Amino acid sequence: MKATDIDSLKSAWKNEQGFENKTLSQTDIEKFLQKKSKDITHLFKVGLTIDVVLKSIIGVSLMGIIILFSGNQQMVISMTAILGLILWAIWFQLKMYRSIPQTGMSEPAIRTSLEARIQFYHQRYVKSLYIGALSNSLFFISGSLYYFYFKYGEIRPMDIVDFLVFGTAIIIAFVIGAVAQIAQHNFHVKQLESCLQEIDEETMTALTIKEQRNKKLKLFFIALTALVCGLLLLAYFVFR
Amino acid sequence: MTNQRTDKHFLELIHRHQSILHKICFAYCKNRSDREDLQQEIVLQLWKSYPSFRGNSQFSTWMYRVALNTAINRTSKPGILTDSSKAPEAAYDPGDDYELSEEIRILHMAIARLKKIEKAIILLWLEELSYEEIAETIGITAKNVSVRIVRVKTRLAEIIQKLQ
């Protein structure tokens, strides 16, 4: 078959009645409108909602720790600081939730819509993934403190090995959460990028994508370093 | 009252132009279940976008734009055993729920084997949209559209030849 033969199929395409036989009734369409979206933005929104709920639960549990250790001033100050961090994280996640771009918008061209989404996910959403992964570390800290309270009724003095073990566990909890979420995020974004690449075959080079990935990696290491320093500082104040 | 009228009008329009829905789902989905999911997603997105429809273009053109945006932005879920990007034709099931003529069925099967943007270009071209309209929908120049159409038609002809 030649490319020009495709032209002859054009009128057959326009006049094809096969799809007319497969009609959706207005009731079917109404039913569609009552269902929930399975779009990528919806999945991200569900993920953000779960994280906000989880952080709220951790926040409440930390309030419990403040009450249980009310006599320990250092503990009260540290837990209040972590509560502040949780509140900021929740505020950030809610802000992110509101700014997720919608699909199916009528105005932008496919290319504009893809660019906006990719840019959003690379530059902004990735930050919320790290904040999301923070829940794991916070959950671990909160769980450990409850364990100490119910087992020993106090926080016993810790030596350097204890710091190392707990510090490592906190970091591992963060990394596991971050790696899992980033892998899923990259899987989705990669598909969007391949579409944009297909549109911009001539103009968008692989270099741009590589630059974006390097930027993301750099951001990850900065966040990781900040987390490690913050947690070590926290552990020092709590357990010294 | 106004809302009810809008709802009814919207449902009527979707009902009238539903062949667009079927054609896009046929091109972008491998099986019946996928098609039903995408149909639902497109209708939802059309409903969300409907208030912004100003009537500057034909409803069918606008519907194509929203539906293609939805289909292209829709990503598959990560799977351990499946990799849809590597062998799309292997898993494609045109289904028997449409009574299509043989040549159109083959054309659809061939379109389903194209890349996502190629599919959009050829679908719009088959609907007899002008190069300018296609360019505006995709976000490229009209000149680029003409070049791409020739390329996609050649690719489509090769696929059809293999299928026949």
Side-chain angles (χ1 to χ4, degrees):
Chain A
M1 191 177 206
K2 289 175 188 170
T4 46
D5 295 340
I6 302 293
D7 294 339
S8 62
L9 292 172
K10 213 172 179 179
S11 61
W13 173 273
K14 284 289 275 183
N15 300 322
E16 176 59 48
Q17 295 297 308
F19 288 119
E20 312 303 325
N21 302 332
K22 174 75 183 172
T23 54
L24 285 170
S25 66
Q26 291 204 2
T27 319
D28 292 332
I29 298 169
E30 275 180 84
K31 273 184 194 163
F32 283 160
L33 294 175
Q34 284 158 10
K35 288 183 183 169
K36 288 234 164 94
S37 171
K38 289 177 186 169
D39 176 55
I40 184 173
T41 54
H42 179 72
L43 295 176
F44 282 143
K45 281 183 175 182
V46 170
L48 285 173
T49 309
I50 292 170
D51 188 52
V52 167
V53 171
L54 190 63
K55 282 195 170 62
S56 306
I57 293 169
I58 295 170
V60 171
S61 77
L62 288 182
M63 282 181 201
I65 286 171
I66 291 174
I67 294 165
L68 291 173
F69 291 96
S70 55
N72 185 335
Q73 201 189 349
Q74 275 178 353
M75 182 65 84
V76 172
I77 293 169
S78 308
M79 290 305 114
T80 309
I82 297 180
L83 261 177
L85 176 76
I86 291 175
L87 283 175
W88 173 81
I90 290 174
W91 169 81
F92 186 89
Q93 298 293 60
L94 290 174
K95 201 173 117 188
M96 191 60 61
Y97 186 98
R98 281 196 295 270
S99 62
I100 289 179
Q102 293 292 314
T103 41
M105 291 173 288
S106 58
E107 295 311 317
I110 291 168
R111 178 188 182 162
T112 318
S113 155
L114 280 169
E115 278 173 345
R117 274 175 165 243
I118 292 170
Q119 194 181 15
F120 172 83
Y121 291 126
H122 273 306
Q123 293 178 359
R124 297 183 64 190
Y125 190 78
V126 79
K127 288 177 197 163
S128 108
L129 292 183
Y130 296 125
I131 290 171
L134 207 61
S135 295
N136 294 12
S137 302
L138 292 169
F139 186 75
F140 178 79
I141 292 171
S142 163
S144 303
L145 290 174
Y146 271 104
Y147 174 77
F148 286 135
Y149 179 79
F150 288 112
K151 182 87 175 171
Y152 306 110
E154 58 167 353
I155 302 291
R156 295 198 304 185
M158 296 173 81
D159 56 25
I160 189 75
V161 178
D162 295 327
F163 280 121
L164 280 174
V165 171
F166 276 94
T168 310
I170 288 167
I171 292 163
I172 288 173
F174 173 79
V175 170
I176 289 173
V179 166
Q181 290 195 65
I182 287 167
Q184 201 173 11
H185 166 265
N186 284 350
F187 180 83
H188 290 296
V189 173
K190 217 173 149 187
Q191 292 178 61
L192 299 177
E193 278 179 347
S194 74
C195 287
L196 189 60
Q197 243 184 322
E198 197 193 328
I199 292 178
D200 277 348
E201 306 179 308
E202 289 90 17
T203 51
M204 186 165 178
T205 60
L207 190 68
T208 317
I209 293 171
K210 206 177 166 187
E211 275 171 6
Q212 285 171 336
R213 286 204 182 123
N214 286 343
K215 201 186 278 177
K216 207 159 63 178
L217 202 66
K218 202 171 144 189
L219 201 68
F220 173 77
F221 283 116
I222 291 170
L224 189 65
T225 312
L227 181 79
V228 171
C229 295
L231 290 175
L232 286 176
L233 202 66
L234 178 74
Y236 172 74
F237 283 120
V238 171
F239 300 116
R240 73 174 175 166
Chain B
M1 187 68 185
T2 315
N3 281 345
Q4 275 181 347
R5 220 183 298 146
T6 312
D7 294 358
K8 208 177 162 217
H9 187 56
F10 172 78
L11 291 173
E12 277 170 9
L13 281 169
I14 299 295
H15 190 251
R16 202 186 309 154
H17 295 280
Q18 63 175 285
S19 64
I20 295 174
L21 206 61
H22 295 304
K23 283 172 185 171
I24 289 182
C25 292
F26 216 86
Y28 284 90
C29 300
K30 286 180 197 159
N31 53 50
R32 196 175 179 163
S33 140
D34 255 6
R35 276 198 287 275
E36 283 170 3
D37 277 354
L38 183 58
Q39 271 180 0
Q40 180 205 318
E41 196 59 51
I42 291 173
V43 172
L44 273 171
Q45 297 302 336
L46 285 165
W47 175 241
K48 281 186 200 168
S49 308
Y50 187 59
S52 67
F53 175 60
R54 301 267 174 261
N56 297 334
S57 58
Q58 283 188 345
F59 182 81
S60 58
T61 310
W62 175 81
M63 188 170 164
Y64 249 109
R65 195 160 175 161
V66 176
L68 284 172
N69 245 320
T70 309
I72 289 168
N73 277 295
R74 186 172 176 256
T75 52
S76 60
K77 295 177 189 79
I80 299 165
L81 298 173
T82 55
D83 187 350
S84 57
S85 63
K86 281 184 182 166
E89 60 281 358
Y92 187 73
D93 162 30
D96 53 6
D97 44 350
Y98 298 97
E99 292 164 18
L100 302 174
S101 61
E102 192 53 25
E103 61 176 354
I104 294 300
R105 178 173 288 272
I106 291 173
L107 178 59
H108 271 291
M109 287 174 74
I111 291 172
R113 282 159 173 76
L114 296 172
K115 290 181 188 172
K116 278 187 170 182
I117 304 300
E118 287 178 335
K119 285 177 190 178
I121 292 173
I122 205 72
L123 284 172
L124 295 169
W125 176 78
L126 284 165
E127 287 299 319
E128 294 180 338
L129 262 72
S130 68
Y131 283 4
E132 282 73 24
E133 282 174 312
I134 299 174
E136 207 187 314
T137 305
I138 307 287
I140 53 179
T141 61
K143 196 182 167 192
N144 204 332
V145 170
S146 66
V147 174
R148 300 267 180 120
I149 284 174
V150 173
R151 213 185 298 165
V152 178
K153 274 159 65 179
T154 309
R155 207 165 119 63
L156 208 53
E158 284 168 7
I159 298 170
I160 290 174
Q161 206 158 25
K162 279 182 196 166
L163 287 172
Q164 279 173 334

